Amino acid sequence: MHRPRPSITDTPDRYIAVAVLVTETQRYLMKRRDDVPWIAFPDQWSFFGGGIEAGETPAQALCRELREELGWQPETIEFFMQTRLLLPFPEAVLEDITFYAVPIAEAAIAGLTLMEGAEMRLFHAAELQAMPNVIPQDLAVVLMHARRDILFRAKQAAPPADSMPSGE
């Protein structure tokens, strides 16, 4: 028997912390998930990160996940965004995901040890956009991060109503 489809306002099934690993040349370090049928999104390119354990903050979970997945401790992390997704699996899953921008030097990548996933690689945002096997929500976050200066700039005050061109 299926449970009722959750609502976006329900308590999430999972809380997740994710690293948007970005280099000085604005390339994103992604991992290709293992191609096994018992995980979500097999053989898809994704960010690094994972579930938040009881008693952890999202930032603590992210640092733990990066140690577990890459053997690496970031010097800095910066909150980027948070979202909830109601994913349409046969049993719908509600996830609350916190994304952190994490700078990483390209020279440091050779010293990382991939401990989860099939491979890791650097990509420009446009390269990821052209690929058929990128987890869609991760691609959306890459594009928002790459365009953040345009998308998330401070709003300017609107001009007075009497100075607006007619028809707008």
Side-chain angles (χ1 to χ4, degrees):
M1 185 166 126
H2 293 286
R3 69 178 181 164
R5 184 175 69 82
S7 165
I8 199 75
T9 58
D10 288 348
T11 299
D13 297 300
R14 288 186 37 162
Y15 290 88
I16 300 169
V18 174
V20 181
L21 290 158
V22 61
T23 70
E24 63 276 12
T25 62
Q26 298 304 298
R27 294 197 302 167
Y28 296 88
L29 183 63
M30 309 290 284
K31 70 174 177 182
R32 187 170 54 81
R33 296 172 59 82
D34 291 313
D35 191 8
V36 293
W38 56 84
I39 65 171
F41 309 112
D43 199 34
Q44 301 290 303
W45 288 96
S46 72
F47 290 127
F48 291 87
I52 300 170
E53 295 178 359
E56 284 183 318
T57 66
Q60 290 168 334
L62 179 69
C63 290
R64 175 185 49 76
E65 287 287 339
L66 290 172
R67 284 190 306 273
E68 290 174 2
E69 294 181 12
L70 292 171
W72 181 69
Q73 178 67 40
E75 290 181 25
T76 62
I77 65 172
E78 181 181 339
F79 174 83
F80 180 61
M81 64 171 284
Q82 184 173 1
T83 190
R84 280 192 176 187
L85 294 171
L86 184 54
L87 298 167
F89 290 107
E91 291 282 332
V93 175
L94 180 60
E95 295 184 339
D96 185 294
I97 309 171
T98 304
F99 295 89
Y100 290 90
V102 181
I104 186 166
E106 288 190 19
I109 293 170
L112 301 178
T113 302
L114 182 65
M115 293 183 268
E116 184 177 302
E119 66 177 303
M120 64 180 168
R121 214 170 100 198
L122 286 171
F123 297 95
H124 288 286
E127 291 175 286
L128 286 166
Q129 195 171 7
M131 294 178 65
N133 63 330
V134 180
I135 296 177
Q137 61 265 30
D138 289 2
L139 177 59
V141 174
V142 164
L143 296 175
M144 283 189 273
H145 186 267
R147 301 172 185 165
R148 66 194 176 281
D149 294 339
I150 296 167
L151 295 173
F152 305 117
R153 65 179 181 250
K155 294 179 182 176
Q156 297 180 359
D162 60 353
S163 69
M164 296 288 286
S166 62
E168 290 188 34

